Amino acid sequence: MFHHIDRFFASLLPDTDGVAAKGAAKRRIFLDVSTIKVHDAQTGIQRVVRSLAISLQQVAEKNIKIFPVFATVKQTYRVTNYLLDHVADDLHLMDGVEIELGEGDVFIALDLCAHVLPRYERQFVRWQRNGAVLAVVVYDLLPYSNPEWFSRRACINFRRWLSFVGRRADIVLPISQTVFGKVEKYIEDRHPRRAASIAKHVLPLSGDLTHGLSSREVSFEELLAYDFVGLEDDSAISRTMEDAAMSARKVLRLRVRVKSFEAVCRMIEAGMG
């Protein structure tokens, strides 16, 4: 699933040797794992966060140092040993120590923590002025494009997060070409002055390898050949899926219906669809 990580590093951090030449012993990458650190609910996104955080450490170049970090609504970003496979050898970056970013540092907003990240915008502004880079992984825009599927609070937090991404991100990392197109359109429509200055790299993470579909974009019609885990009958997404299946003149093979997206993730993880 993460065979492309080395290419991701190559495109995101092309000048690691240059950073070392400027006097930095290692380029530091700070991975935001705020949500999974506080509560690992084993959702689809959190499984990606866990796997990617571990994989990044395994393939990091010799002059790159990885530090998982987290923040809460009351506490600014700090180093955590959670998901760390080595003991920090930098005494200034031990577990629980508040971080400060500067020239050559990269902050990757890996976890979707919509209610926390925008709270520290002033901190990110300072770090970027000091030469740090902010990269944000975007999994989807559903709370923005389809607010009827989510709670009002979730949509408010997501819109604040998305606006923050448009204002502050140096690099945006959508997980598929489809998400890339939606993010690009959002930035062009809502943050046109920054559209040209935000670098964009597709970081494809989605897909079940056993289906053989993970290496390319697939249509909904192709997916209809497999079993689905769906939400209850009266949900908007269920009606949308059923209408799409009817339009394709195919049967939506719903193996089980559940009450929440969390339950959907758990069923998929168990191999139910």
Side-chain angles (χ1 to χ4, degrees), residues 83-103:
L83 300 180
L84 201 63
D85 63 2
H86 64 272
V87 178
D89 54 10
D90 186 336
L91 295 180
H92 298 290
L93 288 174
M94 299 297 287
D95 186 54
V97 173
E98 186 175 333
I99 63 173
E100 187 65 33
L101 276 63
E103 182 71 27

Side-chain angles (χ1 to χ4, degrees), residues 198-218:
I198 301 177
K200 305 173 188 69
H201 303 265
V202 174
L203 182 63
L205 302 177
S206 60
D208 183 344
L209 294 180
T210 62
H211 290 169
L213 302 175
S214 60
S215 60
R216 62 184 176 87
E217 292 291 315
V218 296

Side-chain angles (χ1 to χ4, degrees), residues 11 15 68 148 160 177 247 265:
S11 62
D15 193 28
E148 68 275 11
R160 288 174 179 168
Q177 197 62 46
S247 297
C265 292

Side-chain angles (χ1 to χ4, degrees), residues 21-39:
K22 293 177 183 178
K26 291 179 180 289
R27 165 165 259 164
R28 304 182 303 175
I29 298 181
F30 297 88
L31 298 177
D32 183 5
V33 296
S34 295
T35 299
I36 193 173
K37 156 72 175 176
V38 174
H39 176 55

Side-chain angles (χ1 to χ4, degrees), residues 86-157:
H86 64 272
V87 178
D89 54 10
D90 186 336
L91 295 180
H92 298 290
L93 288 174
M94 299 297 287
D95 186 54
V97 173
E98 186 175 333
I99 63 173
E100 187 65 33
L101 276 63
E103 182 71 27
D105 291 333
V106 179
F107 185 102
I108 302 180
L110 178 60
D111 215 343
L112 176 57
C113 203
H115 66 295
V116 172
L117 195 69
R119 288 176 175 266
Y120 299 103
E121 183 164 1
R122 291 184 180 179
Q123 190 173 49
F124 282 103
V125 170
R126 184 176 73 252
W127 290 346
Q128 288 171 310
R129 287 175 179 171
N130 291 339
V133 172
L134 171 61
V136 181
V137 177
V138 182
Y139 296 91
D140 61 59
L141 268 65
L142 290 176
Y144 177 79
S145 61
N146 300 87
E148 68 275 11
W149 296 349
F150 302 88
S151 69
R152 181 174 178 273
R153 174 54 56 187
C155 291
I156 290 174
N157 286 335

